[in-house]
Amino acid sequence: MKGDVFKSTTLVKILGFVLLSIAFFYFGKHYSDGSQQLVFFNSRQDSSTTPKPTTPNSQFVAISPNSNKSFDLSSLINDTNVAEKPLKNTIHPPPLLTSPVEKMGLLDENGVMKDDFRVGGDGFEVVENWGVGNETEEGGGGGGGGVKGFRVKKYGLCSHSMRENIPCLDNVEAISKLKSVERGEKFERHCPEKGKGLNCLVPPPKGYQTPIPWPKSRDEVWFSNVPHARLAEDKGGQNWISIDKDKFKFPGGGTQFIHGANQYLDQIEKMLPEIAFGRHVRVALDIGCGVASFGAYLLSRNVLTLSVAPKDVHENQIQFALERGVPAMVAAIATHRLLYPSQAFELIHCSRCRVNWTRDDGILLLEVNRLLRAGGYFVWAAQPVYKHEAVLEEQWEEMVNLTTRLCWNLVKKEGYIAIWQKPLNNSCYLSREEGAQPPLCDLHDDPDDVWYVDLKACITRLPEEGYGANIATWPSRLQYPPDRLQSIQVDSFMSRKELFRAESKFWNEIIGSYVRAWHWKKLKLRNVMDMRAGFGGFAAALIENQLDCWVLNVVPVSGHNTLPVIFDRGLLGVMHDWCEPFDTYPRTYDLLHANGLFSIEQKRCNMSTIMLEMDRILRPGGHAYIRDSVAVMDELQDIGKAMGWHVTVRDTSEGPHASYKILVGDKHLLRGKR
């Protein structure tokens, strides 16, 4: 009896096990045959995601059938205006075959930052036999932004006559149509008409070499990189520049300081100790700079000087300055405002700069007055200061009369140097006699409006709140939110100071990771441009991370004008429209950084227009870091490859499903067909 019960119990167990196995098999097949799937989140799927094979040694007991699919979790957390379609009976098209996205590789499998990841090299690669004509192929409309139905496969090289071309300053056709050139109009911007812009790659001169790194480049550069001997011939006796075998040498002199820039700077500081280079004077402007030795030697005193000069008979002086690694721009003070905000510079310098400051009721000196910070200094080293000749003495008297009417105070005159100081407030202006000339500018005049704005023969008013005058000394001012922050128009519910601090913290962390993971200190960066600078947080982070470079912070006209804040921080900046070429020589920057630029500017102009301009101003061996939305990455990749760049797309720190990616473009040296 007991044996029968035992047999019966065993049989029941066996039958139960078989039935359970069949049930598991049925349900497992039912939910994995593709017709029905377990979906944990009802959301949009990324059709471009390619499933990956399951790792054999997986530690998981079971893997969801949806483990290879990605979901937009943010739409589950936040409300959305887009109605989701049900997944049932939905047929999805096959995924498009696109180039795989290369991940950043900054994190290991545990989410810890690696320190052995490296990108780029010290020199540049040479691409031989690059064609001279653009190659196109039938396809989508992306990649070159050209005619619909075609895509640029490869941009050709421009003619060698364009190797020093600055499109808006070398527009011979537009310059020939000018009604007048007596005020220097021919040295100002005259950009090509739409459709006539750059559509090829500007070639380097024969024998181009990797630039000599800073600080050695301050004193010498390769002749083959700027093969123009005229400046050395014309200024050979003035200690500017000389040729020594295969190099240009820069002794550090100038027309008015033939004994060297250091001695000249010592003289200025001895004349007026209040100038305090590197503390009270942090940002300076050198007008008619020559090869920029004044600014080059101020760098060792913690003064950031923007050296400017027109592309005149000595047209390559700015190119020499940038090849040396000194901040510089091609610019002429003629009929339009310079592209810098009011109260930008603590000191403005002119040494034999060939500018007639008193012409047209002093309109040029009034522009200097707009740019000069309240309480700032104007240093003039010129023959009228010290020579006793009738004509020169008359020029000196006109200068004294004009500066007096501007309420400038002549604080020191010694030898061939005169130094004036601008007032701290409007009290002197308001106490002048009625009808005094020049008049105060209209109350509605915006002194920070500079893009294609005519010069105005009036005195720029100083802000009644004292904005611009009460800045901190260097280096505290770099991270201290300036008062002029309150005057910036921004679309945000956050306070401006919170935005300022958040941007600074964000970029400091990002640059810190670049330095650790991408070894940025080994890239020998010197000339850097931030193409959409915001409050200048990227540039500030480079300083905080002790990278020995300078940054030109570009504020696009399509956004908010944050230039006053950038200068108040002790940084350099300029206004620009990226739908037009930039005023600099080819091959003048080591690094171009663009954060969110293309997704905004694509509404205004072609992305290939901006990318070709980036290629023009980027040195061979240089790098471009573009952080932008996923939506524009494919086209940017295509354009970069068509220009001969080595292009990779990497994940940001937010991970592979973030809406932003980082495109890294390394420019190679292209050589035409032989």
Side-chain angles (χ1 to χ4, degrees):
M1 187 74 176
K2 288 182 180 178
D4 291 338
V5 172
F6 176 76
K7 288 179 182 178
S8 175
T9 304
T10 303
L11 182 62
V12 168
K13 287 181 179 179
I14 293 172
L15 289 172
F17 178 78
V18 171
L19 289 172
L20 189 63
S21 299
I22 293 171
F24 272 119
F25 175 80
Y26 173 79
F27 284 113
K29 177 166 179 56
H30 183 67
Y31 283 104
S32 62
D33 63 0
S35 60
Q36 296 189 41
Q37 299 180 351
L38 291 175
V39 178
F40 300 106
F41 300 104
N42 182 16
S43 180
R44 291 185 299 270
Q45 298 181 14
D46 184 358
S47 63
S48 65
T49 304
T50 306
K52 297 177 183 178
T54 305
T55 307
N57 299 323
S58 172
Q59 299 176 8
F60 298 100
V61 175
I63 299 176
S64 164
N66 294 307
S67 63
N68 293 326
K69 292 181 169 47
S70 61
F71 302 94
D72 184 4
L73 301 184
S74 63
S75 66
L76 302 173
I77 300 170
N78 304 313
D79 292 332
T80 177
N81 295 325
V82 181
E84 298 290 346
K85 294 182 180 179
L87 293 177
K88 259 189 175 182
N89 302 323
T90 301
I91 300 175
H92 295 283
L96 296 174
L97 296 177
T98 58
S99 300
V101 173
E102 183 176 339
K103 295 187 178 180
M104 183 183 284
L106 296 180
L107 305 178
D108 61 19
E109 63 275 7
N110 298 316
V112 178
M113 179 69 73
K114 296 180 180 180
D115 58 5
D116 60 348
F117 188 85
R118 184 169 183 185
V119 170
D122 295 332
F124 52 72
E125 296 182 45
V126 179
V127 178
E128 297 281 0
N129 298 327
W130 193 266
V132 295
N134 292 351
E135 297 178 16
T136 59
E137 61 179 18
E138 292 188 17
V147 180
K148 187 176 180 181
F150 287 89
R151 180 166 64 91
V152 175
K153 189 176 180 181
K154 187 170 75 174
Y155 286 101
L157 290 177
C158 308
S159 67
H160 279 277
S161 62
M162 295 182 65
R163 66 186 188 187
E164 317 294 353
N165 184 261
I166 305 177
C168 293
L169 302 180
D170 290 325
N171 190 348
V172 177
E173 181 181 353
I175 293 172
S176 65
K177 296 177 181 178
L178 291 174
K179 296 178 181 178
S180 173
V181 295
E182 62 181 20
R183 289 178 172 81
E185 292 90 342
K186 66 180 180 180
F187 301 124
E188 295 184 308
R189 291 173 61 82
H190 305 284
C191 296
E193 297 175 6
K194 190 174 181 180
K196 294 185 178 181
L198 194 67
N199 196 34
C200 53
L201 308 177
V202 176
K206 185 179 180 181
Y208 184 86
Q209 303 182 61
T210 302
I212 295 172
W214 182 268
K216 192 176 181 181
S217 63
R218 188 195 72 173
D219 302 322
E220 61 181 36
V221 302
W222 296 116
F223 179 91
S224 57
N225 288 11
V226 193
H228 303 285
R230 177 169 179 174
L231 197 60
E233 294 167 356
D234 290 352
K235 302 294 181 180
Q238 296 180 13
N239 215 24
W240 281 28
I241 181 174
S242 62
I243 300 174
D244 183 7
K245 298 178 181 177
D246 59 348
K247 293 177 181 176
F248 285 107
K249 296 290 182 74
F250 303 93
T255 305
Q256 285 293 159
F257 42 101
I258 59 174
H259 299 297
N262 262 331
Q263 182 270 343
Y264 180 71
L265 295 172
D266 288 340
Q267 182 181 351
I268 291 173
E269 204 160 22
K270 187 177 179 181
M271 287 172 63
L272 198 65
E274 295 87 342
I275 281 180
F277 287 133
R279 278 182 54 79
H280 293 135
V281 171
R282 160 64 183 175
V283 187
L285 178 69
D286 188 15
I287 298 174
C289 62
V291 292
S293 289
F294 178 81
Y297 281 83
L298 271 175
L299 285 166
S300 62
R301 304 183 188 219
N302 273 330
V303 177
L304 205 54
T305 306
L306 184 60
S307 300
V308 298
K311 190 176 182 183
D312 56 9
V313 291
H314 302 305
E315 59 182 23
N316 295 95
Q317 50 194 331
I318 294 299
Q319 190 176 20
F320 280 119
L322 289 162
E323 187 71 15
R324 295 175 73 182
V326 179
M329 266 190 73
V330 185
I333 182 167
T335 68
H336 291 105
R337 283 178 172 176
L338 294 179
L339 302 176
Y340 320 112
S342 64
Q343 298 195 80
F345 304 98
E346 288 88 68
L347 183 143
I348 296 180
H349 174 256
C350 161
S351 173
R352 293 286 287 275
C353 57
R354 298 192 300 167
V355 176
N356 181 2
W357 294 115
T358 58
R359 78 152 168 92
D360 295 336
D361 300 319
I363 196 168
L364 302 183
L365 201 64
L366 285 163
E367 173 65 356
V368 168
N369 183 72
R370 182 187 70 85
L371 297 170
L372 197 59
R373 193 175 297 280
Y377 302 97
F378 177 67
V379 179
W380 194 36
Q383 289 182 341
V385 177
Y386 67 96
K387 279 199 172 183
H388 300 289
E389 298 176 9
V391 175
L392 296 175
E393 286 180 345
E394 183 180 346
Q395 292 176 9
W396 171 253
E397 186 176 349
E398 290 175 355
M399 188 70 165
V400 170
N401 289 336
L402 176 59
T403 53
T404 301
R405 286 184 277 118
L406 291 180
C407 291
W408 287 10
N409 180 28
L410 181 60
V411 291
K412 204 73 175 181
K413 179 175 178 286
E414 184 180 290
Y416 52 85
I417 301 174
I419 304 176
W420 284 269
Q421 186 176 24
K422 180 180 175 177
L424 284 165
N425 52 52
N426 294 321
S427 59
C428 175
Y429 304 144
L430 299 174
S431 64
R432 296 185 308 161
E433 294 181 2
E434 188 176 351
Q437 294 295 321
L440 283 173
C441 293
D442 188 271
L443 284 169
H444 301 292
D445 176 62
D446 181 2
D448 299 325
D449 185 15
V450 297
W451 189 246
Y452 289 117
V453 175
D454 291 339
L455 292 178
K456 299 182 179 181
C458 58
I459 299 174
T460 301
R461 298 171 186 263
L462 291 168
E464 294 296 337
E465 304 87 350
Y467 292 169
N470 47 1
I471 56 170
T473 56
W474 182 263
S476 302
R477 63 191 277 190
L478 181 64
Q479 299 297 352
Y480 187 81
D483 289 342
R484 278 206 284 183
L485 193 61
Q486 303 308 315
S487 65
I488 306 300
Q489 300 297 318
V490 293
D491 298 326
S492 174
F493 293 108
M494 296 176 66
S495 76
R496 292 171 177 80
K497 287 187 178 181
E498 287 177 347
L499 282 174
F500 178 92
R501 292 191 178 103
E503 185 195 271
S504 295
K505 183 179 180 182
F506 173 80
W507 284 116
N508 202 40
E509 291 176 354
I510 293 294
I511 298 303
S513 69
Y514 288 177
V515 170
R516 292 190 303 274
W518 289 351
H519 302 275
W520 267 25
K521 289 189 177 180
K522 294 183 180 180
L523 294 181
K524 299 177 182 177
L525 302 176
R526 181 59 193 168
N527 302 352
V528 178
M529 178 186 286
D530 189 1
M531 300 174 67
R532 184 171 177 256
F535 293 131
F538 175 82
L542 292 178
I543 294 173
E544 294 286 10
N545 283 273
Q546 300 180 343
L547 278 88
D548 194 9
C549 60
W550 63 273
V551 181
L552 187 62
N553 295 279
V554 181
V555 173
V557 297
S558 55
H560 300 294
N561 186 359
T562 54
L563 273 178
V565 173
I566 288 170
F567 278 93
D568 285 358
R569 297 186 77 168
L571 305 171
L572 295 174
V574 65
M575 181 72 71
H576 184 62
D577 184 347
W578 282 114
C579 294
E580 297 182 6
F582 191 81
D583 288 344
T584 192
Y585 282 87
R587 303 173 301 280
T588 48
Y589 284 89
D590 303 302
L591 173 69
L592 300 177
H593 176 257
N595 177 44
L597 178 71
F598 288 91
S599 54
I600 291 176
E601 300 295 9
Q602 67 171 338
K603 303 168 188 174
R604 303 176 58 246
C605 56
N606 218 311
M607 288 197 288
S608 61
T609 300
I610 304 175
M611 288 284 280
L612 283 166
E613 179 63 3
M614 291 174 70
D615 181 82
R616 186 184 72 85
I617 67 180
L618 192 63
R619 287 172 168 173
H623 314 277
Y625 282 70
I626 302 173
R627 188 180 190 274
D628 220 313
S629 67
V630 175
V632 300
M633 279 296 150
D634 285 345
E635 185 169 355
L636 293 178
Q637 269 190 288
D638 284 346
I639 300 170
K641 291 174 182 177
M643 297 190 307
W645 289 7
H646 177 263
V647 178
T648 55
V649 174
R650 308 178 186 281
D651 295 331
T652 64
S653 58
E654 289 88 352
H657 302 300
S659 58
Y660 275 69
K661 298 287 183 184
I662 299 173
L663 183 145
V664 180
D666 301 319
K667 180 179 176 179
H668 296 168
L669 179 65
L670 302 180
R671 292 179 178 168
K673 293 180 179 178
R674 295 172 180 172

